[in-house]
Amino acid sequence: MKKSMIKIYFSIICLIYVSIVYPQKNYSDAILIDIKNDTINCKIKINYNFLNKKYLDDAAYFRGVTIVNDEGNAIEKIPAIYINQVRFTDIFNIERVYLNNGVLFKQLLFNGVKLKWYRTMTEDLWNGPSFKNYLMNENGRIFKIETLRIKKTLKEATISKPELVSQIDSISLWVKNIDVDILKVLKKNEE
C-alpha cells in the first residue's frame, strides 16, 4: 500500500514539474523581415509561460525564432542577428513586434509619434535573463524606466502634457501588470 502511494505522489510531482519547466507551445502566423529586407510570411513557434499564459517565455524568445510547418514541426531556427523585425499576433490578439538589437531582439511595446517604448533583455550566467525598459522621444532622447522611478520617468517623458501627472501619480508600482498602466499614459500622451 505504501509503495503505491509513493508512486502516485511521485507521478503527481513529476507531472507538475514537467508542466512548470516546459512552457506551453503555440504557433502563430508571422511576418519576418530579414537583414536583406526581404519579407517572409511564415508560421513561427511561440513559447508561452505555463503559469501565466498571458506572457511569452521571453527568455527563450528574445534569442531568435523557429519557423514551423502547418503541422507545427520545426523547419528552421533563425537567430535574432539575422532578422530585422518579427511581427505576429499572440493568442490574446495582442500584436507583438520584435526588432533587431544585435545578438538579441528588443521588443517594441509602443510605437507612438512622440514616444516609443522598448524592452531589451540581457543574460547573466548566474542570474539568468533580466529585462530593461526605456522610452525614446522623437528627438532620440532616452528615458530609462527603473522600477522605483517609473512615475518620475513618465513625468519627464510626458512633460509637454501636464494633465497626465494625476494619471501617472495614480499608477501603483505593486500591481502585477504595470505595463497596462504605462501603455494608457503613453496612448493619452499621443492625443
Side-chain angles (χ1 to χ4, degrees), residues 83-163:
I83 301 170
N84 276 338
Q85 183 182 108
V86 177
R87 184 180 297 268
F88 66 93
T89 302
D90 68 12
I91 60 172
F92 293 97
N93 210 25
I94 297 172
E95 184 180 46
R96 306 277 184 167
V97 179
Y98 290 83
L99 306 170
N100 186 299
N101 196 36
V103 177
L104 301 172
F105 286 122
K106 66 180 172 184
Q107 184 178 9
L108 177 62
L109 296 164
F110 181 75
N111 189 13
V113 175
K114 296 177 183 177
L115 288 170
K116 296 182 186 325
W117 177 18
Y118 297 99
R119 177 169 292 148
T120 61
M121 182 184 86
T122 57
E123 290 186 286
D124 175 313
L125 181 63
W126 304 106
N127 300 319
S130 65
F131 299 93
K132 295 186 180 357
N133 291 280
Y134 65 93
L135 302 172
M136 184 184 295
N137 70 10
E138 67 268 21
N139 299 324
R141 181 173 174 206
I142 292 176
F143 302 87
K144 292 180 182 176
I145 299 176
E146 297 170 1
T147 306
L148 298 176
R149 300 189 57 194
I150 291 172
K151 292 180 184 183
K152 183 177 181 181
T153 302
L154 284 173
K155 287 175 186 175
E156 286 176 24
T158 62
I159 198 161
S160 64
K161 285 242 179 175
E163 63 269 22

Side-chain angles (χ1 to χ4, degrees), residues 36-47:
K36 297 176 188 171
N37 283 327
D38 293 330
T39 301
I40 304 164
N41 292 304
C42 60
K43 266 188 199 293
I44 59 173
K45 180 169 81 172
I46 308 298
N47 293 319

